[in-house]
């Protein structure tokens, strides 16, 4: 993207003037691109020291639009460095995001989602002055507004002070209620039935390739729900692999399987290739399909031929997102073995760069489809594997796998 470094334009005043005219009944932007009153822009940030991402959901309201331009203004020194599902530019403190060719049309009552990634020097305030096609949104008058909390899961927790979202301890002994939202799933485990410090029962500790300093334990101090989660101490360097592998028979899932995994980790994903979640592929010599990271963002990787999704070009990496640190994140994916397709969601938002949709796309799934891919997955392993640099401490909780999407 291009970051325009023009001096800050008096955009707020311009928006105010435009809104005043609009409120008086004069439609300045007639036609299909205009936004109806009642538009909403929901901005959901995830911030860490020096950087941030934000998911933005734009809802035009009662009238469909055939194209959209969303603008907002930062209160601090935030600088947007790239975006996904939109063409994003910044002038002064004002950010402008325009639709891509494939997501410009939003029906009445519908919405589109896009995201930005950026940096900041000092803590910034909440963005304000959201508008769609020049019309202020979120029920705003002409002045800047602060959007109310969105319907997304909590993603605004500062990274170093976010407490685990565990249920307060009670005097009742641990029970084994399934984590919420697992209905019908073949695998549905919040690890509350683990009795010792070593994962057992429905899970076994494995190091498929080689083992070293990595450890997997049942943690009773950090959990997404209940009082237990799996903790992985993942060391840097090859041969410190460690995973917990489900002992459940997943064959009943068939060829289409959806997973929902709550994961929390500590260290931002490094430039080097790392892996968190693997699944053995019987159609690929039992080599693993691996979900991890590279170049600072989430990445799928095929162990057999080292193909990556997205491609690790800068444009490809920009279509993925980093796994946020020091908070629980909801990771979902779908693998369709017969169609040879794959989808991934982070906190409920589909990630373009982690999508193999059957049609090779340069920078995204072009390399993935360099051969026919029809995976037959047989297991699920949660842990840590690094092949160079990259140590991390991770927790997994509320893990589910089923034949339909489970949700967060
Ligand atoms: Ca738990």
């Amino acid at each position: 993207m291009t970051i325009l470094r023009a001096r800050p334009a008096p955009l707020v005043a311009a928006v105010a003037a435009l809104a005043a005219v609009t409120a008086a009944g004069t439609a300045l932007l007639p036609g299909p691109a205009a936004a109806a009153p009642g538009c909403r822009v929901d901005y959901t940030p995830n911030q860490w020291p020096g950087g941030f991402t934000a998911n933005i959901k734009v809802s035009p309201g009662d009238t469909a639009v055939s194209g959209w331009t969303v603008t907002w203004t930062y209160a601090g020194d935030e600088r947007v460095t790239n975006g996904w599902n939109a063409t994003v530019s910044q002038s002064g403190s004002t950010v402008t995001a325009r639709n891509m060719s494939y997501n410009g049309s939003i029906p009445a009552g519908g919405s589109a989602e896009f995201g930005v990634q950026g940096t900041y020097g000092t803590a910034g305030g909440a963005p304000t002055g959201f508008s769609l096609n020049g019309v202020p949104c979120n029920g705003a008058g002409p002045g800047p507004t602060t959007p109310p909390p969105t319907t997304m899961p909590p993603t605004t927790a500062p990274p170093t002070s976010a407490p685990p979202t565990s249920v307060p301890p009670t005097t009742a002994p641990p029970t084994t209620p399934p984590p919420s939202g697992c209905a019908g799933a073949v695998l549905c485990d919040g690890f509350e039935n683990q009795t010792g410090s070593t994962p057992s029962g429905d899970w076994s500790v494995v190091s498929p390739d080689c083992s070293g300093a990595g450890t997997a334990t049942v943690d009773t101090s950090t959990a997404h729900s209940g009082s237990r989660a799996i903790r992985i101490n993942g060391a840097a360097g090859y041969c410190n692999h460690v995973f917990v592998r489900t002992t459940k028979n997943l064959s009943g899932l068939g060829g289409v399987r959806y997973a929902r995994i709550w994961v929390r980790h500590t260290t931002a994903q490094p430039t080097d290739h790392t892996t968190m979640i693997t699944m053995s592929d019987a159609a690929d010599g039992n080599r693993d399909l691996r979900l991890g990271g590279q170049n600072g963002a989430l990445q799928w990787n095929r162990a057999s031929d080292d193909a990556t999704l997205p491609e690790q070009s800068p444009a490809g990496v920009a279509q993925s997102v980093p796994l946020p640190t020091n908070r629980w994140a909801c990771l979902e994916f779908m693998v369709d073995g017969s169609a040879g397709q794959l989808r991934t969601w982070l906190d409920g938002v589909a990630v373009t760069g982690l999508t193999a949709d059957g049609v090779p796309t340069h920078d995204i799934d072009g390399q993935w489809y360099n051969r026919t891919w029809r995976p037959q997955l047989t297991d699920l392993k949660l842990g840590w594997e690094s092949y160079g640099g990259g140590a991390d401490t991770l927790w997994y909780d509320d893990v589910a796998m089923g034949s339909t999407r489970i949700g967060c």
Side-chain angles (χ1 to χ4, degrees):
M1 58 154 278
T2 302
I3 297 177
L4 301 174
R5 295 191 183 276
R7 92 188 130 84
L11 184 87
V12 171
V15 168
L18 173 60
V21 173
T22 303
T26 304
L28 286 188
L29 292 168
C39 64
R40 285 200 58 81
V41 178
D42 293 314
Y43 181 101
T44 306
N46 173 51
Q47 194 167 300
W48 60 90
F52 68 96
T53 60
N55 292 306
I56 298 113
K57 178 179 177 182
V58 51
S59 310
D62 297 336
T63 302
V65 297
S66 60
W68 44 264
T69 298
V70 175
T71 60
W72 66 89
T73 302
Y74 285 122
D77 59 355
E78 294 92 339
R79 299 298 306 181
V80 169
T81 55
N82 64 53
W84 57 93
N85 291 343
T87 301
V88 185
S89 63
Q90 181 168 354
S91 175
S93 57
T94 297
V95 177
T96 300
R98 292 188 175 83
N99 63 275
M100 309 294 280
S101 59
Y102 54 82
N103 63 359
S105 294
I106 308 176
S111 62
E113 295 185 10
F114 63 97
V116 296
Q117 181 167 7
T119 61
Y120 66 92
T122 57
T128 58
F130 291 96
S131 73
L132 168 60
N133 295 341
V135 178
C137 292
N138 302 351
T145 61
T146 301
T150 72
T151 57
M152 292 295 294
T155 56
T156 55
T160 55
S161 60
T165 56
S166 57
V167 174
T170 67
T171 55
T175 56
T176 58
S180 60
C182 279
V186 170
L187 171 63
C188 177
D189 200 333
F191 305 105
E192 298 303 304
N193 60 0
Q194 293 290 323
T195 54
S197 61
T198 300
S200 61
D202 291 335
W203 300 86
S204 61
V205 179
V206 297
S207 297
D209 301 313
C210 50
S211 62
T215 61
T217 54
V218 176
D219 193 331
T220 56
S221 60
T222 296
H224 175 255
S225 70
S227 59
R228 286 174 174 79
I230 297 295
R231 174 176 172 144
I232 302 288
N233 286 3
Y238 195 75
C239 259
N240 290 314
H241 305 180
V242 65
F243 293 87
V244 294
R245 182 182 189 271
T246 181
T247 58
K248 290 221 168 195
N249 182 351
L250 302 180
S251 61
L253 282 171
V256 179
R257 49 188 66 192
Y258 286 80
R260 189 281 313 282
I261 297 166
W262 283 92
V263 57
R264 180 185 178 107
H265 81 134
T266 310
T267 305
Q269 290 169 306
T271 301
D272 285 349
H273 182 201
T274 56
T275 291
M276 301 182 300
I277 296 165
T278 71
M279 292 165 284
S280 182
D281 182 356
D284 198 11
N286 291 319
R287 302 297 301 278
D288 279 330
L289 172 65
R290 313 190 282 207
L291 176 58
Q294 192 163 346
N295 288 311
L298 287 164
Q299 172 196 262
W300 286 96
N301 172 263
R302 226 162 33 204
S304 60
D305 62 356
D306 215 27
T308 67
L309 177 74
E311 295 178 13
Q312 291 301 294
S313 60
V317 172
Q319 298 291 319
S320 185
V321 291
L323 182 67
T325 57
N326 294 305
R327 71 162 174 89
W328 287 97
C330 179
L331 200 53
E332 294 176 274
F333 57 83
M334 181 281 290
V335 178
D336 183 333
S338 58
Q341 296 188 17
L342 191 163
R343 300 279 190 284
T344 315
W345 297 263
L346 178 64
D347 292 328
V349 178
V351 183
T352 302
L354 302 173
T355 301
D357 62 0
V359 179
T361 301
H362 183 51
D363 291 319
I364 298 179
D365 54 2
Q367 186 188 60
W368 201 254
Y369 290 121
N370 61 11
R371 65 173 171 83
T372 301
W373 181 64
R374 296 288 184 271
Q376 296 171 22
L377 305 177
T378 57
D379 69 357
L380 176 68
K381 299 183 285 289
L382 313 171
W384 183 252
E385 197 169 82
S386 87
Y387 316 97
D392 206 348
T393 303
L394 310 89
W395 290 262
Y396 296 97
D397 201 356
D398 293 337
V399 175
M401 240 182 168
S403 53
T404 58
R405 190 172 172 192
I406 297 151
C408 295

